[in-house]
Every structure is written in C-alpha cells, then in structure tokens.
C-alpha cells in the first residue's frame, strides 16, 4: 500500500517520455491539493515545498520563492545516502532537473546548505522578514 519510489525512479529517470507522463499525472493533483491546503492556512505566512517549482509553474502562484542550494557533489552524496542510490542514478535525476545555478537566479531568497554556512540562522532571518511583510 505504498509507492515503491526506488522502483519508479529506476524506470522513469532514464526515459524522458515516461518521466513526462508521470509528471503529467502527479503534478496537477499535487498542485491542486497544495493550493487547497494553502488556502486553509491561518498563519501569518505558509511555506510550500516543491522540488520542481519552476519546471511545474508553481512559482507563478507564490509571493516569494526560497531556493536551497548546495554544491553538486554534496547533493549527490546526500542523495546516495538518503535513497541508498548510486552516483549514476543520482546524476540521471539531476540531468532531468533545471540547472542549479539558473534555478537559484530565479529565486527571491537563497539558503546556502553547503556545510560552510549555518542553515538555522538563515531560516530565522527569513522568518523575521516574512513576519514583517505579513504585517
């Protein structure tokens, strides 16, 4: 009763047509669900997580986009550990994503998650900015 993400990834990330078909099914449902959830929030602001925020067009419905950036080698290492994957499989996924540098240029804010900058102070600074903006 659960998705076998490893199997799905192994099938679609090497075949663009299958990946496009999967995204065409998943994205509209996911976007609709998250829009409903966002509208029900009563906090000063809400944050939506989306890996393909620009590719899916979700950014058009948001006030601000926060990117989280890490060097490619670190992203690969983290993904291998998280997914028990291989370098080749991770690189196949990355190949299907928007270039990291280009993506960060489109973001309104960027959090550096590179093991050289503390993440929590960056998040807290953005939190304070968003509270002020929410007034």
């Amino acid at each position: 009763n659960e998705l076998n993400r490893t199997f799905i990834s192994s099938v679609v990330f090497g075949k663009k047509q299958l990946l496009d078909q999967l995204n065409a099914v998943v994205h509209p449902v996911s976007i609709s669900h998250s829009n409903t959830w966002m509208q029900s929030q009563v906090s000063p602001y809400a944050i939506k997580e989306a890996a393909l925020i620009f590719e899916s067009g979700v950014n058009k419905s948001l006030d601000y986009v926060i990117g989280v950036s890490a060097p490619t080698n670190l992203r690969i290492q983290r993904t291998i550990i998280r997914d028990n994957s291989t370098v080749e499989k991770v690189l196949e996924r990355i190949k299907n994503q928007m270039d990291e540098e280009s993506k960060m240029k489109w973001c309104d804010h960027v959090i550096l998650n590179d093991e050289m900058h503390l993440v929590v102070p960056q998040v807290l600074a953005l939190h304070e900015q968003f509270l002020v903006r929410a007034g």
Side-chain angles (χ1 to χ4, degrees), residues 38-104:
M38 289 292 270
Q39 291 171 2
S40 70
Q41 300 310 299
V42 295
S43 58
Y45 68 89
I47 296 177
K48 175 182 179 158
E49 188 281 331
L52 303 174
I53 204 156
F54 296 109
E55 297 90 332
S56 64
V58 169
N59 61 301
K60 296 173 186 168
S61 66
L62 303 174
D63 296 320
Y64 305 100
V65 175
I66 303 167
V68 179
S69 181
T72 302
N73 63 331
L74 190 54
R75 290 170 41 219
I76 292 169
Q77 178 185 17
R78 289 171 175 168
T79 306
I80 288 170
I81 292 167
R82 182 192 69 207
D83 297 347
N84 193 24
S85 190
T86 65
V87 171
E88 295 77 22
K89 288 180 182 177
V90 175
L91 289 173
E92 190 69 39
R93 285 187 196 182
I94 289 173
K95 186 174 78 173
N96 289 295
Q97 297 172 351
M98 184 178 190
D99 172 74
E100 175 86 357
E101 186 177 332
S102 299
K103 185 182 285 189
M104 292 307 121

Side-chain angles (χ1 to χ4, degrees), residues 98-115:
M98 184 178 190
D99 172 74
E100 175 86 357
E101 186 177 332
S102 299
K103 185 182 285 189
M104 292 307 121
K105 287 180 182 177
W106 283 91
C107 294
D108 301 293
H109 305 279
V110 176
I111 293 173
L112 299 175
N113 188 6
D114 59 3
E115 297 184 349

Side-chain angles (χ1 to χ4, degrees), residues 25-39 48 58 61:
V25 171
V26 172
H27 286 205
V29 174
S30 175
I31 290 167
S32 175
H33 180 273
S34 67
N35 287 342
T36 301
W37 181 85
M38 289 292 270
Q39 291 171 2
K48 175 182 179 158
V58 169
S61 66

